[in-house]
Amino acid sequence: MNRPYVFINVAMTADGKIDTFQRKGAAISSPRDKERVDHLRAEADAVMVGGRTLLDEDPKLTVKSEALRKERAARGLPPNPIKVGVVSEARFDSHSKFLHEGGGKVVIFTTPRTSNEQLAVLRSQGVEVFVHAGEWVDLQAMMQTLHEMGIRHLMVEGGATLNFELIRLGLADELSAYVAPMIFGGENAPTLAAGSGLERSAAIPLRLIRAERWEDGGVLLKYKIEQAE
Ligand SMILES: NC(=O)c1ccc[n+]([C@@H]2O[C@H](COP(=O)([O-])OP(=O)(O)OC[C@H]3O[C@@H](n4cnc5c(N)ncnc54)[C@H](OP(=O)(O)O)[C@@H]3O)[C@@H](O)[C@H]2O)c1
């Protein structure tokens, strides 16, 4: 299957949590990590998030540094990467930062749970929308579509369920995690990969390709996902 090269990036605590039990998008990254994430975005053709992250947090997903935006422009690219949302029911409010900040292209993959009226509003705003027939978005078909759009380098910024599904299906090539020196605990606090989980015999093997100890007390880990197809 033709698909983009997919790299997942997360900021997590030492106990693997990517948010607190309150699920309000807790700050985990250090200032240096935020800069690193900005560089990753600037290098990507597109940046993707899952439905709950999208609807609960309304992330802008733009490149923050003007210098990096200019660098992209000098390479003949739009200042911000394409934004991609994977969302079962695409109900956005009219002030959505995800849809409107940065002025770039927005692509939504959704299901029949999104009403025709919601689809029409999105399309009238210039959003490219793909409706997949099942309960959830078909991530394999989605990857093919993104490749056909010319997307070769896709950055995934969570959340836990989307990360897990992409890894489980062999659709993610690389995983970077900034591990902040703190613990959130909480059974219901989301971890790097959630979903239905795997038995030990089906665990997804990783190969560590980079480990850095940072002065802010954090650790940067980069893995190759061995089972990617
Ligand atoms: N620290 C970090 O780096 C970081 C980054 C991003 C997010 N987060 C955190 O992650 C949490 C959200 O994660 P989450 O697991 O609740 O949700 P998520 O991964 O953001 O979104 C998953 C939802 O997307 C929809 N979806 C449709 N098709 C799908 C498919 N094929 N595979 C997966 N999802 C599909 C489903 O919505 P329906 O259930 O409605 O069908 C699913 O529940 C938040 O607390 C957020 O703060 C942390």
Short mmCIF file of all heavy atoms in Angstrom, two decimals, residues 2 27 30-31 41 46 52 56 58-59 67 70 75 94-95 109-110 113 129 136 149-150 156 165 173 182 191 220:
data_model
loop_
_atom_site.label_atom_id
_atom_site.label_comp_id
_atom_site.label_asym_id
_atom_site.label_seq_id
_atom_site.Cartn_x
_atom_site.Cartn_y
_atom_site.Cartn_z
N ASN A 2 0.52 2.22 -0.82
CA ASN A 2 1.23 3.50 -0.78
C ASN A 2 0.69 4.34 0.36
O ASN A 2 -0.51 4.58 0.44
CB ASN A 2 1.00 4.26 -2.09
CG ASN A 2 1.87 3.72 -3.20
OD1 ASN A 2 2.96 3.19 -2.94
ND2 ASN A 2 1.40 3.84 -4.42
N ALA A 27 -0.48 20.71 30.31
CA ALA A 27 0.84 21.04 29.76
C ALA A 27 1.86 20.04 30.28
O ALA A 27 1.96 19.81 31.48
CB ALA A 27 1.21 22.45 30.19
N SER A 30 8.28 20.83 27.99
CA SER A 30 9.10 21.94 28.47
C SER A 30 9.23 22.95 27.31
O SER A 30 8.89 22.63 26.17
CB SER A 30 10.49 21.41 28.83
OG SER A 30 11.12 20.89 27.66
N PRO A 31 9.74 24.16 27.60
CA PRO A 31 9.93 25.12 26.49
C PRO A 31 10.79 24.53 25.37
O PRO A 31 10.48 24.70 24.19
CB PRO A 31 10.63 26.30 27.17
CG PRO A 31 10.17 26.24 28.60
CD PRO A 31 10.02 24.77 28.90
N ARG A 41 6.81 19.87 13.18
CA ARG A 41 5.67 20.34 12.36
C ARG A 41 6.16 20.99 11.07
O ARG A 41 5.61 20.75 10.01
CB ARG A 41 4.86 21.38 13.14
CG ARG A 41 3.82 20.77 14.00
CD ARG A 41 2.92 21.84 14.56
NE ARG A 41 2.25 21.30 15.73
CZ ARG A 41 1.76 22.02 16.72
NH1 ARG A 41 1.83 23.34 16.68
NH2 ARG A 41 1.17 21.44 17.74
N ALA A 46 1.95 17.21 6.56
CA ALA A 46 0.64 17.30 7.21
C ALA A 46 0.77 16.88 8.67
O ALA A 46 1.66 16.11 9.03
CB ALA A 46 -0.36 16.38 6.50
N ARG A 52 -11.15 13.11 19.63
CA ARG A 52 -11.40 13.68 20.97
C ARG A 52 -10.45 14.83 21.25
O ARG A 52 -10.84 15.85 21.84
CB ARG A 52 -11.28 12.60 22.04
CG ARG A 52 -12.62 11.89 22.20
CD ARG A 52 -12.59 10.94 23.37
NE ARG A 52 -12.73 9.58 22.89
CZ ARG A 52 -12.34 8.51 23.55
NH1 ARG A 52 -11.75 8.62 24.73
NH2 ARG A 52 -12.53 7.32 23.04
N ASP A 56 -12.26 18.34 21.87
CA ASP A 56 -12.14 18.84 23.25
C ASP A 56 -11.14 19.98 23.38
O ASP A 56 -11.28 20.83 24.24
CB ASP A 56 -11.71 17.71 24.21
CG ASP A 56 -12.78 16.64 24.32
OD1 ASP A 56 -13.88 16.85 23.78
OD2 ASP A 56 -12.50 15.59 24.94
N ASP A 58 -9.42 21.66 20.52
CA ASP A 58 -9.36 22.58 19.38
C ASP A 58 -7.93 23.11 19.15
O ASP A 58 -7.69 24.32 19.20
CB ASP A 58 -10.34 23.75 19.63
CG ASP A 58 -10.52 24.60 18.37
OD1 ASP A 58 -10.24 24.09 17.27
OD2 ASP A 58 -10.94 25.76 18.51
N PRO A 59 -6.97 22.20 18.87
CA PRO A 59 -5.58 22.65 18.70
C PRO A 59 -5.40 23.43 17.38
O PRO A 59 -6.05 23.11 16.38
CB PRO A 59 -4.79 21.34 18.65
CG PRO A 59 -5.76 20.33 18.15
CD PRO A 59 -7.12 20.75 18.64
N ALA A 67 10.31 32.26 11.69
CA ALA A 67 11.49 31.87 10.91
C ALA A 67 11.25 30.51 10.23
O ALA A 67 11.59 30.32 9.05
CB ALA A 67 12.71 31.79 11.82
N LYS A 70 8.85 30.92 7.36
CA LYS A 70 9.54 31.55 6.21
C LYS A 70 10.41 30.52 5.49
O LYS A 70 10.50 30.51 4.27
CB LYS A 70 10.40 32.72 6.68
CG LYS A 70 9.58 33.96 6.93
CD LYS A 70 10.48 35.17 7.11
CE LYS A 70 9.63 36.42 7.29
NZ LYS A 70 10.32 37.42 8.11
N ARG A 75 11.11 27.12 0.63
CA ARG A 75 11.18 25.80 -0.04
C ARG A 75 10.00 25.58 -0.97
O ARG A 75 9.76 24.48 -1.47
CB ARG A 75 11.21 24.67 1.02
CG ARG A 75 12.56 24.55 1.71
CD ARG A 75 12.63 23.30 2.56
NE ARG A 75 11.98 23.44 3.85
CZ ARG A 75 11.28 22.48 4.46
NH1 ARG A 75 11.13 21.30 3.88
NH2 ARG A 75 10.73 22.70 5.63
N SER A 94 -18.20 27.59 15.03
CA SER A 94 -17.81 28.49 13.94
C SER A 94 -16.47 29.19 14.21
O SER A 94 -15.86 29.71 13.30
CB SER A 94 -18.91 29.53 13.70
OG SER A 94 -19.18 30.17 14.92
N HIS A 95 -16.02 29.17 15.48
CA HIS A 95 -14.74 29.83 15.79
C HIS A 95 -13.60 28.82 15.88
O HIS A 95 -12.55 29.15 16.44
CB HIS A 95 -14.84 30.59 17.11
CG HIS A 95 -15.98 31.55 17.16
ND1 HIS A 95 -16.03 32.64 16.33
CD2 HIS A 95 -17.12 31.58 17.90
CE1 HIS A 95 -17.15 33.31 16.58
NE2 HIS A 95 -17.83 32.67 17.51
N PHE A 109 -11.38 13.35 7.90
CA PHE A 109 -11.89 12.00 7.63
C PHE A 109 -12.94 11.70 8.68
O PHE A 109 -12.66 11.82 9.89
CB PHE A 109 -10.75 10.98 7.68
CG PHE A 109 -9.79 11.13 6.53
CD1 PHE A 109 -8.72 12.00 6.62
CD2 PHE A 109 -9.98 10.42 5.35
CE1 PHE A 109 -7.85 12.17 5.55
CE2 PHE A 109 -9.11 10.58 4.28
CZ PHE A 109 -8.03 11.46 4.38
N THR A 110 -14.13 11.32 8.23
CA THR A 110 -15.20 11.13 9.18
C THR A 110 -16.08 9.94 8.77
O THR A 110 -15.71 9.17 7.89
CB THR A 110 -16.00 12.46 9.33
OG1 THR A 110 -16.91 12.32 10.41
CG2 THR A 110 -16.76 12.83 8.06
N ARG A 113 -21.79 9.40 10.92
CA ARG A 113 -22.31 10.11 12.10
C ARG A 113 -22.30 11.63 11.90
O ARG A 113 -22.99 12.36 12.59
CB ARG A 113 -21.51 9.72 13.34
CG ARG A 113 -22.08 8.48 14.02
CD ARG A 113 -21.12 7.86 15.00
NE ARG A 113 -20.75 8.74 16.09
CZ ARG A 113 -19.76 8.47 16.94
NH1 ARG A 113 -19.06 7.35 16.82
NH2 ARG A 113 -19.47 9.29 17.91
N VAL A 129 -13.47 16.95 2.80
CA VAL A 129 -14.04 15.98 3.74
C VAL A 129 -14.20 14.62 3.05
O VAL A 129 -14.72 14.55 1.93
CB VAL A 129 -15.43 16.44 4.23
CG1 VAL A 129 -15.89 15.54 5.38
CG2 VAL A 129 -15.40 17.88 4.70
N TRP A 136 -16.01 3.68 12.45
CA TRP A 136 -14.82 4.50 12.59
C TRP A 136 -14.21 4.75 11.22
O TRP A 136 -14.51 4.04 10.25
CB TRP A 136 -13.79 3.78 13.49
CG TRP A 136 -13.90 4.17 14.93
CD1 TRP A 136 -14.90 4.87 15.53
CD2 TRP A 136 -12.94 3.87 15.95
NE1 TRP A 136 -14.62 5.03 16.87
CE2 TRP A 136 -13.43 4.43 17.15
CE3 TRP A 136 -11.71 3.19 15.98
CZ2 TRP A 136 -12.73 4.33 18.36
CZ3 TRP A 136 -11.03 3.09 17.17
CH2 TRP A 136 -11.54 3.66 18.36
N MET A 149 -2.83 12.59 -2.21
CA MET A 149 -2.80 14.07 -2.14
C MET A 149 -1.39 14.62 -2.18
O MET A 149 -1.19 15.82 -2.13
CB MET A 149 -3.40 14.53 -0.80
CG MET A 149 -4.86 14.50 -0.75
SD MET A 149 -5.30 15.08 0.93
CE MET A 149 -7.03 15.03 0.74
N GLY A 150 -0.40 13.74 -2.16
CA GLY A 150 0.99 14.19 -2.21
C GLY A 150 1.65 14.28 -0.85
O GLY A 150 2.78 14.76 -0.73
N VAL A 156 1.83 12.74 13.52
CA VAL A 156 0.62 12.46 14.30
C VAL A 156 0.83 13.00 15.70
O VAL A 156 1.82 12.67 16.36
CB VAL A 156 0.31 10.95 14.34
CG1 VAL A 156 -0.91 10.67 15.20
CG2 VAL A 156 0.11 10.41 12.93
N GLU A 165 -4.31 2.81 17.45
CA GLU A 165 -4.85 2.21 16.22
C GLU A 165 -3.81 2.24 15.09
O GLU A 165 -3.66 1.27 14.36
CB GLU A 165 -6.13 2.94 15.79
CG GLU A 165 -7.33 2.62 16.65
CD GLU A 165 -7.68 1.14 16.64
OE1 GLU A 165 -7.83 0.57 15.55
OE2 GLU A 165 -7.76 0.54 17.73
N ASP A 173 5.54 4.56 11.56
CA ASP A 173 6.93 4.15 11.36
C ASP A 173 7.84 4.53 12.52
O ASP A 173 8.86 3.88 12.75
CB ASP A 173 7.47 4.81 10.08
CG ASP A 173 6.64 4.42 8.88
OD1 ASP A 173 6.81 3.30 8.39
OD2 ASP A 173 5.78 5.21 8.46
N MET A 182 7.74 14.04 35.82
CA MET A 182 6.56 14.19 36.69
C MET A 182 5.67 12.97 36.54
O MET A 182 5.81 12.22 35.57
CB MET A 182 5.78 15.46 36.35
CG MET A 182 5.30 15.54 34.93
SD MET A 182 4.29 17.03 34.64
CE MET A 182 5.44 18.10 33.83
N THR A 191 -2.91 7.32 28.31
CA THR A 191 -1.49 6.98 28.13
C THR A 191 -1.11 7.15 26.66
O THR A 191 -1.97 7.44 25.83
CB THR A 191 -1.22 5.54 28.56
OG1 THR A 191 -2.06 4.69 27.78
CG2 THR A 191 -1.50 5.31 30.03
N LEU A 220 14.40 12.54 26.00
CA LEU A 220 13.80 12.40 24.68
C LEU A 220 14.11 11.00 24.14
O LEU A 220 15.28 10.61 24.07
CB LEU A 220 14.34 13.45 23.71
CG LEU A 220 13.77 13.35 22.30
CD1 LEU A 220 12.29 13.74 22.29
CD2 LEU A 220 14.55 14.22 21.32
#
